Amino acid sequence: MKVILMNKNKEVLIAEYLENLKVFTSIYEILNIEYAPLIINESYKLNEPLEVSLTEWFKNRGIPEGRDRLDMLMSKLNISTPTTLLDKAYGLSLSDQYWIKPYDEDIKYEDINFFDNDFNDLEFTEATFSNDVTLSSNITFMTPNNTTDGVLRKTWVIDQGKRYLLKAGLKDEVLQPFNEVLATMICERLGFNHVAYTLDKVKGNIVSKCECFINTDTELIPARQILKGLSDPDKINAYQKYIKILSDNGIENAKEKIDNMFILDYLMLNNDRHLNNFGIIRDVNTLKWIDVAPIFDTGNSLNLIDYTDDEIIIEGNGRFFFNVDKFDNIIKKISDIKRIDFSKLDGVVDDFENLLKKYQSETKMSDKRIERLCIMLDRQISKLK
């Protein structure tokens, strides 16, 4: 079928789309390539086949094959693969304004986007978090939950008119939602720009809850797209190159803001700062780069492997752009740490301990594990002090 890649109401390009395979096979006409997703625009500049980059970008919008309890989700939604969902709601997302418009269909962005138009969130919430094996019926699929990446179970919901993302822990792990709240505690004390997380309970699951930080005029561009095309030698210096790209595009204090994120990762021993969970915010109307995205997705932290009365063993490596390295090596790359008053973190360990104990009857987390988690956190704070 013939379709138009849209950015709000701006026509970007016209392509042939195979609905059964979820791939684009031909580009008929390029209309406003500068309004394409950044990674597709970069492919165009590099003379790469746009059909390939368009297909890759589109499939990466969807629920990945590695999503926790994916088989249960698909069973409840009565689908065979997660890619089935990609075009059910024009490919719309709550992270940007791109969508796939059938060539002959007369429809406007204002009529369908999920920032302004309500959607049924109960079906996906039930399918994602409930242990009930009953299949859902009469599912509309007109929802932004078709396009949520990442391995954790998650759903977008509407609460008093606002869009919130609910996210559970991985498999039987319960710590991730609490880590998101801890990141909020730390960022608030240190003055880091961040997404604020709280806790909620859905279908017996304790989940993190955060408000959508994108609106109808903005988009999130992940670092992975910004750094597309770097050669292997360039990747060695990706940190410096990333800062320069942001600065060249008008983002102020880019280095300080990126450093703040890695300081948080050091404090929390976050080993999952991959290139898709940080980036920048861009105005989709003017294409102006607005700012570094607020810090989000810090759940995979404080990863205890084993602990005894005398020893704590942790997942010892963090991520720093294309490299995996020890946290103590990564923090050495961050200059001017003395600008931060870490005494503002006094009491945060106690607050985290109180939070874990408040929910202990539901999480079944042992006293020993809570103690060891707090020891780890206190150690990291003390090192930076």
Side-chain angles (χ1 to χ4, degrees), residues 332-347:
K332 291 175 184 176
K333 304 176 190 295
I334 308 304
S335 61
D336 196 22
I337 290 179
K338 290 183 179 180
R339 65 185 166 82
I340 298 174
D341 181 4
F342 290 106
S343 69
K344 292 180 178 179
L345 295 180
D346 291 351

Side-chain angles (χ1 to χ4, degrees), residues 5 11 17 48 68 79 95 121 161 167 176 185 195 207 216 223 232 236 248 259 296 332-333 343 378:
L5 172 63
E11 297 182 347
Y17 175 64
E48 295 175 350
D68 184 23
I79 59 174
S95 296
D121 55 30
K167 188 165 56 172
Q176 281 99 345
M185 293 177 181
V195 175
V207 299
T216 52
D232 287 338
I236 297 173
D248 289 348
D259 286 358
F296 65 96
K332 291 175 184 176
K333 304 176 190 295
S343 69
D378 188 59

Side-chain angles (χ1 to χ4, degrees), residues 128-144:
T128 299
F129 295 117
S130 175
N131 290 321
D132 186 356
V133 297
T134 303
L135 294 177
S136 301
S137 59
N138 300 318
I139 300 173
T140 62
F141 291 119
M142 193 62 187
T143 165

Side-chain angles (χ1 to χ4, degrees), residues 249-315:
N249 280 276
I251 291 183
E252 298 179 355
N253 303 316
K255 183 178 186 303
E256 178 180 308
K257 293 168 183 175
I258 298 303
D259 286 358
N260 288 347
M261 179 180 69
F262 286 110
I263 289 169
L264 174 68
D265 288 349
Y266 180 83
L267 289 167
M268 293 186 58
L269 299 169
N270 174 28
N271 67 357
D272 195 35
R273 187 62 66 192
H274 57 76
L275 295 175
N276 275 335
N277 68 15
F278 69 99
I280 64 103
I281 307 296
R282 183 170 75 166
D283 186 310
V284 298
N285 304 303
T286 65
L287 303 183
K288 174 181 170 57
W289 292 31
I290 299 173
D291 204 349
V292 170
I295 298 172
F296 65 96
D297 205 350
T298 316
N300 203 25
S301 301
L302 296 175
N303 292 289
L304 277 173
I305 297 175
D306 196 10
Y307 53 92
T308 66
D309 289 339
D310 302 317
E311 185 178 18
I312 298 175
I313 303 173
I314 63 168
E315 178 69 44

